[in-house]
Amino acid sequence: MPYRAHWIALFIVLAGSFAILGGYAPRIRSSAPPLPERVIGPGGTTVIEGSAILRGQNVWQSIGGQEVGSVWGHGAYVAPDWTADWLHREANAILDTWARAEGGGRYAALSPERQAALRERLRTTLHENTYSEDARTIRVGPERAAAFEELARHYASVFRDGVDAYAIPAGALTDPARARDMAAFFWWTAWAAVTDRPGEQVTYTQNWPHDPLVGNRPTGQAVVWSVISFVLLLAGIGALAWYHGSRKEPEVAADELPLRDPLFGLNPTPSQRATVKYFWVAAALLVVQIALGALTAHYGVEGSKLYGFPLAEILPYSVTRTWHTQLGIFWIATAWLATGLYMGPAVSGTEAPGQRLGVNLLFVSLLVIVIGSLAGQWLSVMQRLPGESWYWFGHQGYEYVDLGRFWQIFLFVGLFLWLGLMLRALWPALRRPSATRPLLLLFVLSSLAIALFYGAGLMYGRTTNLAVVEYWRWWVVHLWVEGFFEVFATVVIAFLFVRLGLLHPEKATRATFFSTTVFLAGGIVGTFHHNYFAGTPSSVMALGATFSALEVVPLTLVGLEVWQNIRLTRARTWVSAYRWPIYFFVSVAFWNLVGAGLFGFFINPPLALYYMQGLNTTPVHGHAALFGVYGMLGIGLMLFCLRALRPGAAWKERPIAWSFWLINVGLAMMVMISVLPVGILQTWAAVETGTWWARSAEFMQTPLMNTLRWLRVPGDTVFAAGAVVLGWFVLGLATGWSLRRTGHVAEGATDVTEEDARAGGRA
């Protein structure tokens, strides 16, 4: 069996990694913060019904959930983290109650000695675990029961009357009973964050959020495993450099490179031509996504208005941010799925019967999912869906998997339809022996993983404990988006270059096996680095810190990939026709190092993330990695397929050149002069004062922070201009204005002949 050792290594990594990650599911469930049947006060009176906590979780989800503020540090960044905010407000309310009981007025008016004594009493009171396993109750004192009533009124007013600094418009939640239920949910998340686990001196959330007032400080494990992760990163880089230096891979000799474009003169199959509309839609969704991103960022400085216009009355922040994140996934996935559909017949050399019909059916299904899910999310946030329909057709409230459960299931089925179309297109190639067959098998496995692992988002329900939800949600976000899509992209790019005759099949196969195995060795179990503080046991921190450090290791050699790709554009004159798709692949390598590598590891060690969780250091990594890597790759794949569909048509390259530089420079400006400085200053505030302060309106509305947030405008403008130019260019391939009508690309060259190519000027 060819590449036997490579297959064995890959399956050992997959089996071992999923045994760890999947094997933790029962432990995550059993160690999650308990949901009581009742929270009782003095004399056994009921303060909070357990059912109210679950109803409150659903209320929070239906109005946007993690798209309006955050809980346990996961979510949006303009409104407070409701866990940290509730905890600090509750602590101050209790201290004031005790101070008044001692005749001293407010806590702030007491002497330093009395303040210190009350702080110690507070820490002891809050950290004590009063949950009764037998009775399934949590017992609280009178001061804590009174604090709940006070804060419930406060949060009801926030969502009823609106707060511009939080980008929450008036009328976001007007039902008093539902507002009280949501307050019960916020209380429970704060209780889990400050209550010690039974028999331990660490809270259910590993002492997160940082708040010295209540005694929440980093654990010793956070420090130790952070140091270990640094050591492992250095060791991994050394081992990878040693391995790479010892290998000699076969190259395609210069005289063996094709003299002409291998795709020149090929007639696209009906199903390949049918993929063009996928790319049109992907380009359109990209432009809309970026416009929504700019609007979402603007809400951060002007609250519920757009330069004075009360836009939030019809399009609130929670909707624009939801659509922004959802459309990012939709357009990138659309471009990648269309690339797979294009690649099938290109690899097999045949067109399966009815393939075009299947491609068109999938396209219609994706359109229905996109339009239906976005409309449902608006209706849910605006509180216009009755009963539990918000859950099925509206907004599930969990970032990146916000779409309603019906749309989620529909998309899951659609992915298996895509997988079926892929398999039937590839089947002839799978049956015949060839040098690229192992690469093809990797392609099939990665396609299967894309369809299968989206199903992890169906493993939780409407009333599932939040800790369990977060465990499965990150299977989708990390494993599906950041994991197997990455593998799929690696295989596709290798295939494309082999198909063009620019890479030796053996080298491409070995490199793909190696990068896939190394990446998944750290990436699968490394999923746990998202769950350090999400109600999981401390062993999750150890595993997440260890393996997520290894995720960065393969990114240290991306500089070699950059230069290899640049050299490919100079291999033959005809290759320059693919220059801009390849340049987007080069930018993928750059942002992989910077966005996924540097900025990813910046927040990955437990000690760093303890202070940075829920701050703007996360969107630094998110924008640079999600768009910088997966978005740039989606654009590159889109342009490559559009180029390959009409290899003889001459492009007007100036627009795509402008687009390339505007998008990359704009993304760098956005991150470096606005989002990163904001995140660093927030981290400083979180370290010195607490997470609650770093996320507070008082801190975020200071003149310096407002100036830094306004500085997103230049980068956003440049970035958006690049996206508009790209969308205009792609549309122009259909209308003809992006093509040079005075000629076409001749075989073996990139010169434009004098022959009129109008007849071949449609993509």
Side-chain angles (χ1 to χ4, degrees), residues 336-337 340-341 362 414-422 447 450 488:
W336 290 28
L337 297 181
L341 294 172
L362 178 62
L415 289 172
F416 273 93
L417 172 60
W418 171 78
L419 177 64
L421 292 170
M422 294 285 293
S447 301
I450 287 173
F488 176 79

Side-chain angles (χ1 to χ4, degrees), residues 452-530:
L452 184 63
F453 280 92
Y454 185 74
L458 303 175
M459 298 299 291
Y460 53 84
R462 184 175 57 84
T463 58
T464 302
N465 189 297
L466 185 61
V468 178
V469 172
E470 285 297 286
Y471 168 75
W472 289 113
R473 182 174 75 91
W474 285 109
W475 275 60
V476 178
V477 180
H478 187 89
L479 281 182
W480 189 67
V481 177
E482 300 180 31
F484 288 105
F485 260 119
E486 175 99 5
V487 175
F488 176 79
T490 302
V491 179
V492 167
I493 292 176
F495 246 123
L496 293 175
F497 287 143
V498 169
R499 183 69 180 82
L500 291 176
L502 302 176
L503 279 183
H504 193 286
E506 182 183 349
K507 177 181 180 179
T509 303
R510 291 184 183 277
T512 303
F513 264 115
F514 179 76
S515 60
T516 298
T517 303
V518 172
F519 177 76
L520 293 180
I524 294 174
V525 182
T527 304
F528 276 142
H529 78 260
H530 298 285

